[in-house]
C-alpha cells in the first residue's frame, strides 16, 4: 500500500486552544495502500460529522469548521444535534471542497481542537472519538451476523496488548478499491476486542490493516492481512478464520471507574503540576480526563494517560480549579474527583521555550560532556563542596562545580566544528551529595542546579543556542534514585546528627529561613552545603530512625566516633517503604537489583508507587516543555521493564506529542543505560538484566498493580530464558535490499550498546560481538555506541582508553560506519587523560582523573560555519583542532553526514569476505543509498548490484558488471566506503583517511 499524505491546513489554528488528547506514536502507514477513491455522487461535497460525547460530558456541542479553501464559521460554530446514544452529528454542505478543518466546543470556553492542530476531515460519514478519526455511521442499524455465502465478513480485532483506545479497519475486497484512510471505525465488542462487519460484495476475501486513528498502524509487518468471509479474529498478528465470537457470553462493561482521589495542584510561577492517586475499575482504566476552570480562557478539558498532568504558560496571579475523571476502555466515565486549586504567581523572566529539532536521531553523532568539568564560562557559580579540601581540588584551585552552561554555550562551535550535531549533557537537576558535580544525586528534580546557570546562560538559553546551530541537547535523567537526602517535594528524611565537638565542622547550628540550593552561602557557617537543616541535639517525637544517637562502634577515616542516624541509609528506618526501597542489593543479576539501593548516597525510589511516578513524570515534563531533544536514562536496568513500559515511556511520548507534535514524539530519542558488564549476548543468562530486553514491549498481561506486575514479569521472562525472546530483522538487509522496519513491538527505549563498549579494547572484537547481538534488539541501528565514558573503559576498565592513537582511529572508523550512533566522551578527540583513573571520588584531585577540567584545551575563540567546518580559531583551541584524531573525527562526520546508508541504513555481511567489512543500504522515496565498507582490512563483496561505485575516502571509481568487488587493505584506522552512484571523494585527506 502507498503512503497517503495527510491534508494540511492552510489556515491559522483556532484562537481558543486547548491541550489535545493522547497522541499515538506515528509509524509508517501500511505498505502498498491504494490512494483514496473519489467519493460517490451521493456524498460528494457533503460531510456528516459524528462526535462522541461520553468522554467530554458537555451540555452542548458545536462544530466550528472551515471547508478546505474557505472561511471558518463564526465562533462557536454550528450547534450539533443528537444522533444516537453517546453521539451527536452535523451535516455540512462543502460545495466543491474535498474536506474541512474542524474543532469542537461546548460554546462556553471548552474546546477539542486535536491538540492545537485542528481535525482534517473528508466527506461522507466521519466519526471523531477521543481524538481518533474514522469513516462510518456509528448510529446505523447493526447488521445481522453475515452469511459467509453472501460475501459478508465479521472481523474481531484485539487491542489487548496495544493500548489503543479505538480501532479502525482499512480494507480492500478482492478486486475492489481500498477504503479511504484511516478506514472505517470498529465497534467495541468486549474488553480488548473491536468488531466490524464488512460487505465483500461478490468477493470471498479482502486485504486489511488496522490503526488507532492517530497514526499507529498494524499492517502485519508490511504484508497486510488476508481475511476471508465468515467470522475471523486477528490477535497479535495471528489470523484465525471460521472461529467463534470471542465476546460470546461476556456481558458489556457498564461499570464506571472509581473517582480519582488525593488530587493535588502545585503552582510554580505560571506553571501547575497536578497529581492524583490512580482510580480502580473492574476492567482497567485507560485514561484520565482533567478539567481546568479559571482565568479568561474558560474551561479546558484534557485527556492524559498517566496520573500526573502539568501545564505551563498560564495566566499570572490567577487561581485555577482542577477536577479529574477516570475513563475505561468501554468509555465509562467516573464521577469527578474533589477539586484542587492552585494560584499562579508572576511569570518568570525566562527565554521562550524551545522546540525539539525532531529529526531522525540516527543522523546525529553525539558528543558527551560532564557539564561541570567541560568549560567554565562564569566563575561566580563555581563551588567546591564539603570535599573541596579533602579531595585535593582546593590545592589545585579546581572546584568540582567549575564548568557551566555559559561555558558550554561558548564552545558549541567547537563541538559543531568537530562535526557533532547532538550534545549529551549530565543531569541538570539540583543535586545534593558530598561530591555531586556529575549530577546523579538529584535532590530537587523540578529545579535546575544554579551552579550550572548564569545570567543570560540558563538551561533554556543553552537549549535555544544549540537549536539555533542545528544541534540537539540530550539530557541525562535519573528515574531510579534520588540523593540520600531524599527528593524535595516528595520526601526528605529528617537527619539527626549527634553534635559533639568532633562533628561541629559538619553539623551546623540550624538557621531558620536558609534553604539549600547548592549555590547560596549560609552567612553564619559560610557554607553552601548541608547546613543546619540536618542537625538536632535531641531526639524529636515521631523519630523513625533505629537506635538514634547511639555509637555504631565504628570510626570515620579521621578517627571520629560514628553515631546511628548521622546519615540516611536504606535500613535506618528513615525512609517510608511506600516511597523508597529499604534494602541493599545482594545479587546484581537478581530481582533485588531492581528494588534495592545501589550505593549509600543513592536512595532508591519505589518506582512502582504512583506518587513516585507522578513526581518524576511531572519533573521531566518540565524539561520536555523546554524543548530538549531526548533523554539518556541513567541506571535503567534497576527499574522493572513493566514500569518503563506502563508508566514512564508512555508519559514521555504523550508529553512530547502534546507539546511539540507527533513527528517530534516519533524522533524524541530515549536511550537507556542497561549496564551489563560482560561479554556474553545475555547478561550472565539473565534476560531481565540485558540491554536488548528493554527495547521490547511486554508479551503478556500482568497484574494491574505495578509492584505485582514487576515480579510476575520478572519470573515469566526468566522462565522463558534467552532462547525464547523476540527477535528482529530491523537492522539487517534482505540480501541487498532495504525493507521497512517493524517497530510495532518497540518499547519506546533504545539503549547504549554495552556489549560493543565492553569489547572496544579491540575494534574487531567490538564489531563481531555487536553483530552477534543485533537480532535481539528491536532495532540495533539506534544503538548508542561508545568506547569509554565517565564510568568505564572497555572490558569494565577503570581508566580512560589508552590503546594508542592508531587503535583510537580504528575504533572511530568502525563506529562512524557500522550501524548505531557514534558517541565520543569529551576530550577523546585528543586522547585527553588517557590511562588515567576515570573516577576516584574525593580520594584524589579531579585534575588527575578522567573527569579533569577540559576548558584549558578549548580556551580562545572558535567559529564553525558548518558541521566539521571551522571558519576561524585562536588561542589554545586552535592547537587542539590540529590534533590527528580531531582531523579524523571531522572527516568521519563529513562522510557519515553525506551518505544516508551510514546514518539510517540496514546492514549485511552476506556475500562479504573480510574482518570488519559489511554492506549498508537505506531506501526511502527518491533516496537509495548503498555502500560497501571495510575497516582496516581487505574485503571482497559478491552478489552486489552492478553499477559504478566511488570510494568516499579516496575518490577511486570501480565499475561492477559481475556482482563482485575486491578492496585491498586500507591499513590500521583507515577505511574504504564504496558508494553505488557515489558523488566522489568527501572531504580532504587526513592522517588516517587517505
Amino acid at each position: 500500500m502507498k503512503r497517503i499524505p495527510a491534508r494540511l491546513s492552510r489556515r491559522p489554528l483556532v484562537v481558543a486552544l486547548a491541550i489535545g488528547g493522547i497522541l499515538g506514536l506515528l509509524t509508517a502507514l501500511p505498505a502498498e495502500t491504494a490512494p483514496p477513491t473519489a467519493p460517490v455522487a451521493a456524498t460528494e461535497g457533503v460531510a456528516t460529522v459524528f462526535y462522541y460525547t461520553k468522554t467530554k460530558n458537555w451540555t452542548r456541542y458545536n462544530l466550528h469548521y472551515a471547508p478546505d479553501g474557505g472561511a471558518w464559521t463564526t465562533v462557536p460554530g454550528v450547534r450539533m444535534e443528537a444522533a444516537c446514544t453517546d453521539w451527536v452529528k452535523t451535516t455540512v454542505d462543502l460545495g466543491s471542497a474535498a474536506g474541512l478543518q474542524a474543532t469542537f466546543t461546548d460554546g462556553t470556553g471548552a474546546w477539542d481542537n486535536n491538540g492545537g492542530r485542528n481535525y482534517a476531515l473528508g466527506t461522507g460519514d466521519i466519526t471523531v472519538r477521543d481524538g481518533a478519526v474514522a469513516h462510518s455511521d456509528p448510529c446505523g442499524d447493526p447488521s445481522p451476523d453475515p452469511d459467509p455465502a453472501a460475501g459478508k465478513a465479521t472481523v474481531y480485532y484485539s487491542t489487548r496488548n496495544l493500548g489503543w483506545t479505538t480501532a479502525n479497519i482499512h480494507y480492500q475486497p478482492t478486486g475492489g478499491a481500498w477504503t479511504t484512510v484511516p478506514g472505517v471505525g470498529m465497534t467495541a465488542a468486549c474488553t480488548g476486542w473491536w468488531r466490524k462487519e464488512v460487505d465483500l460484495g461478490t468477493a470471498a476475501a479482502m486485504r486489511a490493516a488496522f490503526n488507532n486513528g492517530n497514526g499507529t498502524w498494524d499492517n502485519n509487518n508490511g504484508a497486510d492481512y488476508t481475511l476471508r468471509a465468515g467470522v475471523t479474529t486477528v490477535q497479535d498478528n495471528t489470523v484465525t478464520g471460521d472461529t467463534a465470537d470471542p465476546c460470546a457470553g461476556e456481558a458489556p462493561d457498564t461499570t464506571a471507574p472509581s473517582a480519582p482521589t488525593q488530587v493535588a495542584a502545585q503552582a510554580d510561577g505560571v506553571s501547575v503540576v497536578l497529581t492524583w492517586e490512580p482510580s480502580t475499575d473492574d476492567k482497567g482504566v485507560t485514561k484520565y480526563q482533567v478539567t481546568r476552570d479559571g482565568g479568561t480562557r474558560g474551561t479546558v478539558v484534557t485527556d492524559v494517560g498517566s496520573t500526573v498532568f502539568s501545564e505551563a504558560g498560564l495566566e499570572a496571579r490567577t487561581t485555577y480549579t482542577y477536577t479529574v475523571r477516570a475513563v475505561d476502555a468501554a468509555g465509562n466515565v467516573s464521577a469527578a474527583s474533589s477539586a484542587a486549586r492552585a494560584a499562579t504567581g508572576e511569570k518568570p523572566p525566562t527565554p521562550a521555550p524551545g522546540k525539539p529539532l525532531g529529526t531522525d536521531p540516527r543522523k546525529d553523532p553525539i558528543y558527551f560532556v560532564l557539564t561541570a568539568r567541560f568549560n567554565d564560562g562564569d566563575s561566580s557559580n563555581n563551588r567546591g563542596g564539603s570535599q573541596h579540601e579533602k579531595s585535593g581540588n582546593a590545592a589545585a584551585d579546581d572546584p568540582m562545580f567549575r564548568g557551566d552552561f555559559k561555558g558550554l554555550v561558548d564552545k558549541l562551535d567547537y563541538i559543531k566544528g568537530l562535526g557533532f550535531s547532538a550534545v549529551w549533557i549530565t543531569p541538570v537537576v539540583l543535586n545534593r551529595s558530598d561530591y555531586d558535580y556529575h549530577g546523579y544525586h538529584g535532590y530537587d528534580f523540578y529545579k535546575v542546579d544554579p551552579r550550572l546557570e548564569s545570567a543570560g546562560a540558563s538551561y533554556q538559553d543553552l537549549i535555544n543556542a544549540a537549536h539555533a546551530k542545528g544541534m540537539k541537547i540530550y539530557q541525562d535523567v535519573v528515574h531510579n534514585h534520588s540523593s540520600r537526602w531524599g527528593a524535595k517535594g516528595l520526601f526528605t528524611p529528617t537527619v539527626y546528627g549527634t553534635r559533639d565537638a568532633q562533628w561541629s565542622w559538619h553539623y551546623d547550628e540550624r538557621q531558620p529561613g536558609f534553604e539549600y540550593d547548592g549555590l547560596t552561602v549560609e552567612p553564619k557557617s559560610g557554607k553552601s552545603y548541608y547546613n543546619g537543616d540536618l542537625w538536632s541535639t535531641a531526639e524529636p517525637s515521631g523519630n523513625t530512625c533505629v537506635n538514634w544517637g547511639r555509637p555504631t562502634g565504628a570510626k570515620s577515616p579521621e578517627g571520629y566516633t560514628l553515631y546511628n542516624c548521622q546519615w540516611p541509609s536504606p535500613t535506618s528506618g528513615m525512609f517510608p517503604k511506600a516511597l523508597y526501597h529499604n534494602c541493599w542489593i545482594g545479587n546484581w543479576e537478581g530481582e533485588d537489583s531492581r528494588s534495592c539501593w545501589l550505593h549509600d548516597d543513592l536512595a532508591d525510589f519505589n518506582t512502582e508507587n504512583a506518587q513516585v511516578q507522578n513526581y518524576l513524570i511531572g519533573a521531566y515534563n518540565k524539561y520536555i516543555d523546554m524543548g530538549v531533544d531526548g533523554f539518556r536514562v541513567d541506571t535503567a536496568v534497576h527499574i522493572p521493564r513493566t514500569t518503563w513500559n506502563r508508566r514512564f515511556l508512555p508519559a514521555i511520548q504523550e508529553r512530547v506529542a502534546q507539546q511539540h507534535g507527533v513527528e517530534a514524539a516519533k524522533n524524541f530519542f530515549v536511550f537507556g543505560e542497561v549496564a551489563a558488564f560482560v561479554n556474553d549476548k545475555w547478561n550472565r543468562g539473565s534476560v531481565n538484566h540485558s540491554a536488548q530486553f528493554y527495547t521490547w514491549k511486554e508479551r503478556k498481561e500482568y497484574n494491574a498493580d505495578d509492584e505485582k506486575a514487576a515480579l510476575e514479569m520478572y519470573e515469566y521472562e526468566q522462565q522463558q530464558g534467552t532462547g525464547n525472546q523476540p527477535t528482529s530483522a530491523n537492522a539487517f538487509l534482505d540480501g541487498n535490499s532495504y525493507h521497512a522496519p517493524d517497530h510495532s513491538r518497540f518499547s519506546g527505549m533504545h539503549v547504549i550498546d554495552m556489549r560493543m563498549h565492553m569489547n572496544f579494547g579491540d575494534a574487531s572484537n567490538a564489531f563481531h560481538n555487536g553483530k552477534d547481538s543485533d537480532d535481539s534488539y528491536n532495532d540495533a541501528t539506534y544503538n548508542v555506541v561508545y568506547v569509554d565514558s565517565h564510568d568505564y573503559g572497555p572490558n569494565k576498565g577503570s581508566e580512560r582508553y589508552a590503546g594508542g592513537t592508531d587503535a583510537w582511529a580504528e575504533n572511530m572508523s568502525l563506529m562512524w560506519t557500522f550501524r548505531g550512533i557514534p558517541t565520543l566522551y569529551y576530550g577523546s578527540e585528543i586522547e585527553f587523560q588517557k590511562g588515567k583513573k576515570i573516577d576516584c571520588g574525593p580520594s584524589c584531585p579531579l585534575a588527575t582523573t578522567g573527569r579533569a577540567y577540559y576548558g584549558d584545551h578549548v580556551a580562545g575563540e572558535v567559529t564553525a560555519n558548518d558541521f566539521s567546518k571551522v571558519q576561524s580559531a585562536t588561542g589554545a583551541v586552535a592547537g587542539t583542532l590540529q590534533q590527528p584524531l580531531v582531523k579524523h573525527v571531522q572527516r568521519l562526520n563529513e562522510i557519515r553526514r553525506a551518505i544516508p546508508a551510514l546514518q539510517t541504513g540496514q546492514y549485511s555481511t552476506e556475500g562479504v569476505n573480510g574482518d570488519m567489512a559489511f554492506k549498508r543500504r537505506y531506501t526511502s522515496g527518491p533516496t537509495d543509498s548503498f555502500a560497501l565498507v571495510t575497516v582496516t582490512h581487505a574485503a571482497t563483496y559478491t552478489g552486489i548490484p552492478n553499477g559504478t561505485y566511488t570510494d568516499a575516502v579516496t575518490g577511486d571509481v570501480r565499475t561492477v558488471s559481475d556482482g563482485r568487488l575486491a578492496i585491498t587493505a586500507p591499513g590500521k584506522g583507515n577505511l574504504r566506503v564504496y558508494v553505488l552512484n557515489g558523488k566522489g571523494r568527501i572531504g580532504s585527506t587526513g592522517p588516517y583517511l587517505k
Side-chain angles (χ1 to χ4, degrees), residues 583-597 714:
C583 54
W584 296 104
I585 291 179
N587 178 4
W588 290 87
E589 275 76 40
E591 195 284 324
D592 58 337
S593 74
R594 307 178 313 150
S595 55
C596 294
W597 285 39
Y714 182 87

Side-chain angles (χ1 to χ4, degrees), residues 370 372-373 383-394 398-401 431-442 449 451 483-485 516 529-530 599 601-602 838-849 851-852:
L370 267 69
R373 306 302 300 158
R383 292 293 182 272
S386 65
Q387 302 298 306
H388 192 45
E389 302 287 341
K390 178 182 177 181
S391 65
N393 289 337
D398 184 28
M400 61 175 186
F401 262 98
N431 263 232
R432 190 165 194 169
S433 156
D434 288 344
Y435 218 48
D436 57 9
Y437 63 95
H438 41 65
Y440 297 99
H441 300 110
D449 200 308
R451 291 170 287 188
S483 71
R484 68 176 168 193
W485 311 105
Y516 168 83
Y529 53 90
Y530 315 149
H599 194 269
D601 61 355
L602 303 176
I838 293 173
D839 175 34
C840 60
S843 64
C844 66
L846 280 168
T848 65
T849 73
R851 298 177 177 179

Side-chain angles (χ1 to χ4, degrees), residues 301 463 490 547 758 815:
V301 181
I463 295 168
L490 179 70
N547 297 319
M758 285 291 97
M815 292 162 63

Side-chain angles (χ1 to χ4, degrees), residues 405 408-409 412 425 457-467 473:
F405 294 146
L408 184 51
V409 169
L412 285 176
I425 61 173
S458 67
Y459 186 33
Q460 187 69 70
D461 289 318
L462 168 63
I463 295 168
N464 295 351
H467 287 174
I473 294 293

Side-chain angles (χ1 to χ4, degrees), residues 2 70 113 128 177 233 404 444 449 454 570 574 612 620 655 689 760 816 921 963:
K2 299 178 182 176
N113 61 5
V128 179
T233 62
D404 46 39
D444 187 345
D449 200 308
S454 311
M574 296 181 180
V612 174
Y620 291 127
R655 188 64 174 192
H689 299 86
F760 256 119
W816 261 259
R921 190 170 206 158

Side-chain angles (χ1 to χ4, degrees), residues 666-737:
K666 175 185 176 183
N667 289 316
F668 189 88
F669 190 42
V670 179
F671 59 105
E673 178 205 26
V674 182
F677 299 119
V678 293
N679 292 327
D680 22 322
K681 182 173 183 176
W682 297 98
N683 185 3
R684 294 190 175 92
S686 175
V687 296
N688 277 280
H689 299 86
S690 301
Q692 57 268 49
F693 181 73
Y694 280 77
T695 67
W696 296 94
K697 289 181 179 179
E698 304 307 330
R699 298 192 285 170
K700 64 189 298 290
E701 292 186 45
Y702 301 105
N703 195 288
D705 179 89
D706 285 354
E707 187 170 354
K708 294 178 181 177
L711 295 172
E712 288 178 3
M713 185 275 294
Y714 182 87
E715 292 299 329
Y716 173 77
E717 294 292 359
Q718 291 297 91
Q719 291 170 7
Q720 292 295 302
T722 61
N724 192 28
Q725 293 299 314
T727 58
S728 167
N730 285 336
F732 305 117
L733 293 173
D734 183 3
N736 292 316
S737 299

Side-chain angles (χ1 to χ4, degrees), residues 9-26:
S9 171
R10 297 179 181 270
R11 301 192 59 80
L13 297 177
V14 179
V15 175
L17 298 181
I19 298 175
I22 302 170
L23 299 175
L25 175 63
L26 181 64

Side-chain angles (χ1 to χ4, degrees), residues 146-154 173 197-206 228-230:
D147 176 1
K152 300 279 189 177
T154 300
E197 295 175 350
V198 176
D199 185 351
L200 299 176
T202 59
M206 62 179 166
R228 300 191 177 278

